[in-house]
Every structure is written in C-alpha cells, then in structure tokens.
Amino acid sequence: MNQSKHIGLGFVSFLIFLFLLGPLVIISVASFEPSTVLQFPPSGFSLEWYANIFAVSAFMDTFKLSMLVSLLGNLCALLLGIPAAYALSRYEFPGKALLNVLFVSPILIPGTVLGFTFLRYLIVAYQLPLEVALFVGHTILMLPFIIRVIASSMATFDFSIEEAAMSLGASRFGAFFKVILPNIKSGIIAAVLIAFLESFNNVDISVFLTGPGLSTLPIQMLTYVEHYFDPTVAAISVMLMALTAILMFAIERLVGLSYFTKR
C-alpha cells in the first residue's frame, strides 16, 4: 500500500514538473529552428536566430535601457532599503507593523494595478518624463525585495556585537559600516540579484511606463512577436532563462533559498 502511494506521488510530481518545465524545453529546442517560422519539433539545427538578436538594433537598445534602469533603480532601492531593514530589525516602535505592510505592498498589489497607478500619478498628474517615471516605478518595485531579504539576514544577527563595538568607542555609523554590513553582505548581494531579476524581467508595470521611443527588452519582445513569428524571441528567451538560472544559483550559494521562508 505504501509503495503504491509512493509511486502515485512520484507520478504526480513528474506531471507537475512536466507542466512547469515542458514549455521551457519546447521553447529552448524551437530556438534552433533554421527556417523563418517558429515550430516544434525543429526541422534542423541553426544558431542563426541567436546571431539575429545582436543584429536587431531594437533589442540591443532596449537591453541597454533595461540594464540601466535595473542597475540604477537597484542602487536607489538599496540606499533606501538597507536603513529601512535595519530600523525594522533593530528597533520596536509604534507603527512598525504598518510600515512592514507598506513596504511589502508593491508585491501584494497586482502589477497591472500598480502600473496603472504609476501612469495615473507619475506621468499624467506630475508630468514626469517617461525615463524618470520608469526609474521611479522600478525602484519602488525592487524596494520590497531589498528590504525583505536584508531584514531576513539581520534577523539572525546578534546586535549585542554592535553594542560592544559602540562601548569600545565606535560611533553608531562606524559600528554599522564596520560590524553589521560585513556580516550581512551575502544577504545584500542576494537582495540585489533578486531585485535585478524582478526589474529586468518585468512586463506588467513597464508596459504602463513606456511609450514611443522608449521601451524595455521584455516590452520590445512583445512588440516583435506582433509582427514576426521567427525564432528570434525564442532565442532571447533561452538567454534570459540562462541568466536567471545563473543568478538563482548564485543566490542559493550565497544565502540559500530558505532565507525567503524565514519571515
């Protein structure tokens, strides 16, 4: 009876993995199709469409913009998120629970709702340029991931070490930079990587904050498939999947995925 349960559980697990990974495998294989029409199984093997990624200037331009927005927004979110995570982990104060909910709200609110809100206020009401609005929107998007991961790192930190450093003559800022930051650097790196992935691959918010002459790579991919059905987008998808896998492996090596279930 127990053996049959194990077999049934294994079969269900196999179906789940097939459902999750099957489309990725199909896209990966189809990206090597030599003809001008995306199909599976492919009729041959060719790297032509991977080379075509670098030949299409729109992909390269939007890739640079996506990298710039993700990196600058990440830096801004980091400058805001580290002090916020420190305050939430170190002190007890009125309204702490409300602040926790406020900082997590960009994750809880559907992306389309959040994107429309940014469009309504950042662009329509405050008349911000698209570049600035896109930067602000992605910074707000990344902030909860920065705070969440860094706060999880600080949850295991013994703040008596900070007090000991201060009792030996270090200032509060000196103790923070010389004692706390070095001990949570792996959590900071993991937070940066996760926030970068969330920003770089974002579609639902970016679609409201882009327009003619300004687009991110995921939005450009959507625009491309509206006019062409060649395997170029499949090739880009494979490269993005490889990038995501590399970064997730780095995160696992740095802090372990269990960090995201601690709090």
Side-chain angles (χ1 to χ4, degrees):
M1 184 67 178
N2 289 333
Q3 184 177 2
S4 62
K5 287 183 179 179
H6 289 312
I7 294 174
L9 181 60
F11 180 71
V12 172
S13 301
F14 170 77
L15 291 179
I16 293 174
F17 277 104
L18 183 64
F19 176 77
L20 294 175
L21 300 179
L24 304 183
V25 174
I26 292 174
I27 288 297
S28 300
V29 174
S31 66
F32 299 105
E33 167 62 40
S35 70
T36 58
V37 178
L38 181 66
Q39 60 180 344
F40 181 85
S43 58
F45 180 86
S46 174
L47 296 176
E48 173 187 356
W49 304 110
Y50 285 88
N52 191 51
I53 296 173
F54 303 96
V56 179
S57 60
F59 287 139
M60 301 309 299
D61 293 340
T62 54
F63 171 78
K64 294 175 184 177
L65 178 63
S66 293
M67 288 291 294
L68 183 64
V69 170
S70 297
L71 292 176
L72 292 181
N74 210 322
L75 177 61
C76 185
L78 200 61
L79 294 176
L80 296 172
I82 291 179
Y86 174 77
L88 293 172
S89 302
R90 183 73 171 86
Y91 303 109
E92 294 292 336
F93 52 87
K96 179 179 177 180
L98 180 61
L99 279 178
N100 268 315
V101 174
L102 180 63
F103 285 134
V104 178
S105 60
I107 301 176
L108 303 178
I109 299 174
T112 51
V113 176
L114 194 61
F116 179 77
T117 303
F118 289 153
L119 173 66
R120 171 66 178 82
Y121 291 98
L122 295 180
I123 297 177
V124 177
Y126 297 108
Q127 298 292 312
L128 292 180
L130 286 178
E131 295 87 348
V132 178
L134 186 65
F135 167 75
V136 173
H138 277 247
T139 300
I140 295 174
L141 173 67
M142 288 185 277
L143 190 58
F145 296 94
I146 295 288
I147 294 176
R148 181 81 176 181
V149 177
I150 295 179
S152 296
S153 297
M154 290 185 178
T156 59
F157 180 76
D158 185 0
F159 285 101
S160 62
I161 302 176
E162 178 192 25
E163 296 172 359
M166 294 173 61
S167 68
L168 293 174
S171 65
R172 182 169 294 277
F173 282 104
F176 179 80
F177 285 103
K178 294 181 180 179
V179 177
I180 296 179
L181 283 186
N183 282 279
I184 62 169
K185 61 182 179 180
S186 60
I188 293 176
I189 296 174
V192 167
L193 294 178
I194 293 171
F196 173 82
L197 284 175
E198 181 64 25
S199 171
F200 190 83
N201 295 322
N202 181 267
V203 173
D204 46 6
I205 291 177
S206 298
V207 73
F208 288 96
L209 302 177
T210 54
L214 183 74
S215 181
T216 61
L217 181 59
I219 303 302
Q220 182 60 38
M221 292 170 64
L222 290 176
T223 304
Y224 188 86
V225 297
E226 290 179 359
H227 302 90
Y228 305 96
F229 198 63
D230 60 51
T232 303
V233 171
I236 298 178
S237 301
V238 172
M239 297 181 71
L240 292 180
M241 284 189 286
L243 174 65
T244 302
I246 292 171
L247 293 183
M248 291 305 295
F249 176 77
I251 294 168
E252 170 61 25
R253 297 293 294 177
L254 286 169
V255 297
L257 297 178
S258 59
Y259 254 82
F260 313 121
T261 60
K262 284 182 179 179
R263 298 185 59 169

